[in-house]
Amino acid sequence: MNSTVPVIDMPTKDLDAWFNQRFDEKMAEREAAHTPSMTIIATKGTLDMAYPPFILASTAAALGWDVSIFFTFYGLSLLKKQLDLKVSPLGNPAMPMKLPEGPSWIRGKELPVPTSVMTLVPGFENMATSMMQKTMDKKGIARIEELRELCAEAEVKLVACQMTVDLFDHDQGDFIPEIHEWVGAASFLPRALKADVNLFV
């Protein structure tokens, strides 16, 4: 029994148009079925640098994205049960220092104090931390604990770097139970390779 291959009998111009239409339809179907993904590498453990990974992750998760945050080195401290985050002006020359309280003529104005001088003043780190936290509270911005909980509820994968745990002799009991897994870079990189967006914070 002979089988015959159907021949599409149409002009080349019409055939090209038909092919382009079918190709666009298939690509649209594929795009509609695709779930965007994002990986974030969090390396810093200060109060100001704790906000970007959690805000980005919670926002992406709210949009339906598949999100993972890899907490490594000092960023691992963001997963501790008890947070004691500070704002360090050292190495952060762009940090604006504004008074969240006080007379109207000075409130909200930037203090022209070089960061190199800030670091020499005893207790300045605690003062800067207090000022930033008051500013955040006044603006209605959620605290880190709340953002972290929001991420966990939105099924953001909170991934802890096992090498950092071993390096600094951390106790896993000091960390929140919502951690998705404890892995090294070799296990996290394949996930980052497949992600649509990769961020380093």
Side-chain angles (χ1 to χ4, degrees):
M1 182 176 181
N2 296 328
S3 60
T4 58
V5 178
V7 177
I8 301 177
D9 185 15
M10 64 174 65
T12 302
K13 182 179 179 180
D14 294 341
L15 183 61
D16 289 342
W18 174 84
F19 176 82
N20 290 335
Q21 180 182 353
R22 291 292 295 163
F23 179 80
D24 291 341
E25 290 174 354
K26 290 298 182 182
M27 290 301 295
E29 291 175 3
R30 180 179 179 183
E31 185 67 23
H34 174 67
T35 299
S37 59
M38 177 171 68
T39 60
I40 302 173
I41 300 177
T43 63
K44 298 177 177 64
T46 57
L47 177 62
D48 51 332
M49 293 306 296
Y51 276 94
F54 287 122
I55 290 177
L56 289 166
S58 58
T59 301
L63 294 174
W65 291 29
D66 181 17
V67 186
S68 300
I69 311 178
F70 184 59
F71 297 87
T72 184
F73 278 81
Y74 307 117
L76 185 63
S77 63
L78 302 181
L79 295 179
K80 285 191 173 183
K81 294 176 181 177
Q82 301 297 327
L83 295 178
D84 184 25
L85 306 179
K86 304 290 185 182
V87 174
S88 176
L90 184 63
N92 191 6
M95 184 181 73
M97 291 303 302
K98 297 181 180 181
L99 293 176
E101 299 177 336
S104 58
W105 60 271
I106 194 174
R107 187 172 60 249
K109 294 185 180 296
E110 292 191 14
L111 302 180
V113 182
T115 54
S116 58
V117 175
M118 296 178 187
T119 58
L120 299 177
V121 179
F124 196 92
E125 183 179 85
N126 290 332
M127 184 181 75
T129 300
S130 177
M131 289 171 62
M132 174 164 281
Q133 195 62 72
K134 286 182 179 180
T135 300
M136 294 288 188
D137 293 341
K138 189 174 182 180
K139 298 295 184 179
I141 298 176
R143 297 223 169 191
I144 294 300
E145 293 88 345
E146 297 171 315
L147 287 173
R148 187 175 65 182
E149 183 179 352
L150 181 62
C151 285
E153 292 176 353
E155 298 184 353
V156 172
K157 298 176 181 65
L158 307 177
V159 183
C161 176
Q162 183 61 49
M163 187 206 71
T164 302
V165 174
D166 298 336
L167 179 64
F168 295 114
D169 293 324
H170 287 303
D171 184 348
Q172 290 191 6
D174 294 335
F175 295 87
I176 59 174
E178 290 83 2
I179 292 177
H180 179 70
E181 57 185 341
W182 305 76
V183 300
S187 297
F188 183 78
L189 285 176
R191 181 181 303 170
L193 181 64
K194 298 177 182 178
D196 298 298
V197 179
N198 292 284
L199 301 175
F200 182 87
V201 181

